[in-house]
Structure formats: structure tokens, C-alpha cells
Amino acid sequence: MSDILTIALRGLRAHKLRSMLTMLGLIIGVAAVILLTSLGQGLSGAVNAAVEPVANSITVVPKLSPIPGGPAARPLTDEDLESISKLPHVAEIVPQVTGSSTSAAGQVGKAVTASTPGAQYRSASVVGTTANYLSARQMSLAAGGFFTDAQDQSGAKVAILGPLVSSALYGPDPHQAVNKTLRINNILFKVIGVLDSFGAANDNVVIMPMKAARAGIIGSNFGTSADQISSLSVKATSTADVPVAKAEIIQTLRNNHRIEDPQFDDFQAQDLGSRVKTFTGIIDLVTTAVPAVAAISLLVGGIGVLNIMLVSVTDRTREIGTRKAVGASDGAIMGQFVLESITLAGLGGLIGIALSVGGVLGLTALLANMGGAGSRGPLASFHPVLSPAPIAAAFGISLLIGLVAGGYPAWRAARLEPIEALRFE
């Protein structure tokens, strides 16, 4: 075996450029499979990290119009809030009372006007809620702070502004708005915070304690009763408990609203889990399909190995004849060419592994320097994952390609008759 290996390595060294070009297809294929698998697993992890906070969320809203033939639709009320908060599979609940200054067609209706002595903003949306609103919705502040439970319970006249409102009234620096006095529909509020940008609807908002919102800002001005709630954001005790929690919420609301026939439900309970599963399923499909496509380059590399080994057998026909004439067996000839092919594929696989591992480590270092970990950008939770399984699989496939691609040329070499091989020109 050592003699065969020596002869195989000598044959590869004799044609260095040809050997390197042959390995190039395998190098690219192995490196592509490992790199794309690492990036795909990193992407999947980033997506899961992004959707995990909302995967156990359930949103409850009243239906806008009654069901034909059914009883009059009831709004969500404080009674519903209290009943749902006591359910065993509900971990957290955030009520919201809202008032918007524009209708669906964009026409100004019951306007909420936020003003200072020097500026006025007409078109804000007011959200009255509780102190856990910010954490439940995974939102953050650009300046200042959020109101506390004590301010929530007392109905303190404090407000948190969306960035559009803050910019229009106080300029581009959000810190300039903090601790300023704001007049909302002739009621004075103290600005205690400014939100980070979170999409157009959330940028055009004024958030305040629910009791303060009901006291003159929303209430009868928007045709709502004193205990009416616009929507409920509910978090189940875990993602796995979402279906049970949703069923408990639906049954509780039916009992409270005295609904016997489900077709007359005057509310909607929507969980994000099904949408999240659909989205993550697409991501998983992409992360599986992309490395599979990259594996095609391994097949191309295998065809290159087969081609070169066939050329090698033709070029060395006289050598094969000489070896067989002095007593080399068919098995020894076959072993020589198979071993050459496996060595060629193995070296290509190892170089591909080295390049891909270096690429992943380099990308990880680059993301760290860009502030990926802990930042709030799109790369905040993206980290390429370098795992042993795809490395072992890619290397194993490259060796298998070497064995298969070298098998047929080796069999042809072993079948040559010594006298015919010696006479070959």
C-alpha cells in the first residue's frame, strides 16, 4: 500500500498544474457547500431570534360591523380585560384605547391636535395603554423614558411621542422634546420620552396612560364608552401554549358577550404563530435548497476528476504495460489509479474546508467589528454557524467522488494487456 501511495503521489507531482486545476472544481464545491450552509444556519437563527418575541402573541380586536342576523356587536371592555388576565395560559396582557385623526380615506375627521406655543401637529394618533406596552411590543426609546405603573394607575398627564410628532414640534433632536409641555386637544401633558422609528403608523403616535387618554382625549370625543378598549395584545405563557391560550380567550369572550353560536362572534382573536411558522418554513426551505444547489459544483468537480483520470490512463499506457510485464497485478494497477483519484479529491476537499472555515471566521470577525452583536441593525442577531456536520458531509462527498471518478479509469487501466500497452504510441 505504501508503494502504491508513493507512486500515486509521484504521479500527481509530475503534473502539478493539471492536478491543481482538477482539484479546483472540488475546492469550490466543498467551500461553497460549507459556506452557504453556515450562512443559511446563521440566517435561520437570526430569523428565529427576531420572531421569537412575537411568536407567542395573540391580538384580540372587536369586529367593525355586526354579523347579519346576529345580535348587536359588543365592544371589548375592562371586564373582558380582567377576565382574560386571569386565564391560566395568559402571561401578559396589554390593553390599548386608540383615537386616530384620519379616516380610512385619509380625510381628517375627529382630529387630535398636539401643539406647543411655537408649533402645531394635526394628524396624530393617540394610544392609551399600560406601562408594559413598550416591552410587549419590542419597541425602544430614542430619548427619555416610559411611564411607570404608578403613573399608569394615577392617570398622570405624561406622553411619549413618535419621532414624526417630536420632529414636527421640537426639531430633529429627540432629546429636545423631553420634559417639555405639550397641549393635546387643550389638555396639558408633559413629554417624558420619544420613540425610536418603528414604521410609519408607530412614528405618527402619542402614547399616554390609558386613564389619561380616556379623560378627555379619546372617550366620547371618538364615540367610545368610558370602559371601552380598542384592542388587546396578549402573550401566552409559551409558544407551545398559544393554541390553548387562544381557545381560552375565545371561550371567555363568548361567555362575557353571551354568544352561543360561534358564527356571531363580535371579536377576532389572531395569533402570529401560524404566520411565523409559514415564514420560518420558507427560510428553512431556502437554507436547505441553497447548499443543495451549491452541491452541483461538487458534481462538476467530480466530472473533472473523471476526465483527468481517463487522460492519465491514456498518457501512462506504456508505464502500465511495463509494470504489468514485470509482475504487477491487476489489483495493484487498479489500486494505484483509484488511490490517485481519492488523493486528488481528498486534497481538494481539505483545501475547500480550509477556505470555507477561514471565510466564516473572517465574516464573523467583520460582523463583530461592524457592531452586529448587540446592535439594533438588520445584522444584530446574524451570526454564521460553523458546525461539524456539513464539513464532514462535504469532505465525505468529495472522497466518494474521487472513488467513483477513479474507479472506471482504474478498471480500464487494469484490463490493458501488457504487450498491447507496451506497443502503445
Side-chain angles (χ1 to χ4, degrees):
M1 181 60 69
S2 63
D3 289 341
I4 293 174
L5 181 60
T6 300
I7 293 170
L9 291 174
R10 189 183 301 156
L12 295 178
R13 285 198 302 269
H15 303 89
K16 295 184 182 67
L17 181 59
R18 187 172 73 181
S19 299
M20 282 301 301
L21 292 175
T22 303
M23 287 190 293
L24 188 60
L26 294 174
I27 292 171
I28 294 173
V30 169
V33 169
I34 297 173
L35 274 172
L36 291 174
T37 301
S38 299
L39 294 176
Q41 290 178 349
L43 175 62
S44 180
V47 169
N48 289 332
V51 302
E52 181 62 29
V54 298
N56 64 337
S57 297
I58 303 169
T59 302
V60 183
V61 295
K63 288 187 177 177
L64 299 178
S65 57
I67 303 297
R74 289 187 172 191
L76 297 175
T77 63
D78 289 344
E79 179 188 2
D80 299 324
L81 168 64
E82 185 176 356
S83 299
I84 293 173
S85 65
K86 295 177 181 178
L87 295 176
H89 292 93
V90 169
E92 186 178 23
I93 185 167
V94 181
Q96 297 174 57
V97 293
T98 59
S100 177
S101 63
T102 56
S103 66
Q107 301 297 320
V108 175
K110 297 181 177 67
V112 175
T113 301
S115 61
T116 66
Q120 187 179 81
Y121 188 91
R122 182 181 173 91
S123 265
S125 297
V126 168
V127 174
T129 185
T130 51
N132 56 345
Y133 176 86
L134 205 65
S135 60
R137 291 176 62 89
Q138 300 295 307
M139 298 171 71
S140 57
L141 293 168
F146 207 73
F147 57 81
T148 63
D149 285 321
Q151 290 172 317
D152 178 15
Q153 295 299 323
S154 65
K157 299 297 191 292
V158 293
I160 294 89
L161 306 183
L164 287 178
V165 183
S166 174
S167 178
L169 297 178
Y170 301 102
D173 183 2
H175 295 87
Q176 293 297 319
V178 179
N179 294 324
K180 295 294 194 306
T181 299
L182 177 69
R183 185 181 297 274
I184 303 177
N185 285 8
N186 298 318
I187 299 177
L188 294 180
F189 283 79
K190 179 182 179 181
V191 178
I192 61 172
V194 177
L195 295 172
D196 273 322
S197 181
F198 201 73
N202 294 286
D203 290 355
N204 181 37
V205 70
V206 178
I207 301 174
M208 60 185 65
M210 189 162 66
K211 186 178 289 187
R214 283 172 166 173
I217 304 300
I218 298 179
S220 59
N221 292 335
F222 285 86
T224 61
S225 60
D227 66 343
Q228 188 169 330
I229 294 173
S230 302
S231 65
L232 295 171
S233 296
V234 183
K235 281 191 175 294
T237 48
S238 69
T239 304
D241 290 335
V242 168
V244 179
K246 183 178 177 181
E248 291 175 348
I249 291 169
I250 291 173
Q251 189 57 52
T252 298
L253 290 176
R254 285 174 181 166
N255 293 339
N256 287 356
H257 295 194
R258 297 178 177 83
I259 296 173
E260 296 182 359
D261 190 340
Q263 70 173 323
F264 297 134
D265 284 349
D266 52 15
F267 60 88
Q268 290 179 316
Q270 302 170 332
D271 68 280
L272 299 178
S274 57
R275 298 181 184 178
V276 168
K277 286 180 181 178
T278 301
F279 182 65
T280 53
I282 294 172
I283 295 297
D284 291 341
L285 178 62
V286 171
T287 55
T288 302
V290 170
V293 172
I296 295 174
S297 59
L298 272 177
L299 177 61
V300 174
I303 294 173
V305 173
L306 173 62
N307 181 52
I308 291 301
M309 293 309 299
L310 285 171
V311 171
S312 181
V313 169
T314 303
D315 288 348
R316 295 158 64 185
T317 301
R318 288 179 64 83
E319 175 194 333
I320 294 168
T322 302
R323 292 192 65 207
K324 296 193 75 170
V326 296
S329 65
D330 290 353
I333 299 296
M334 181 175 289
Q336 174 188 345
F337 284 93
V338 169
L339 199 56
E340 278 188 26
S341 178
I342 292 176
T343 303
L344 202 63
L347 287 174
L350 290 174
I351 295 172
I353 289 171
L355 290 176
S356 60
V357 170
V360 170
L361 295 178
L363 181 58
T364 301
L366 178 62
L367 291 175
N369 291 333
M370 291 172 60
S375 73
R376 288 178 294 192
L379 300 178
S381 55
F382 176 72
H383 301 282
V385 178
L386 196 61
S387 55
I391 295 176
F395 184 65
I397 291 173
S398 69
L399 291 180
L400 181 62
I401 285 174
L403 177 63
V404 173
Y408 175 67
W411 176 75
R412 282 190 58 184
R415 289 180 64 247
L416 290 175
E417 293 293 334
I419 188 64
E420 295 297 330
L422 288 170
R423 293 169 57 184
F424 182 81
E425 293 294 336

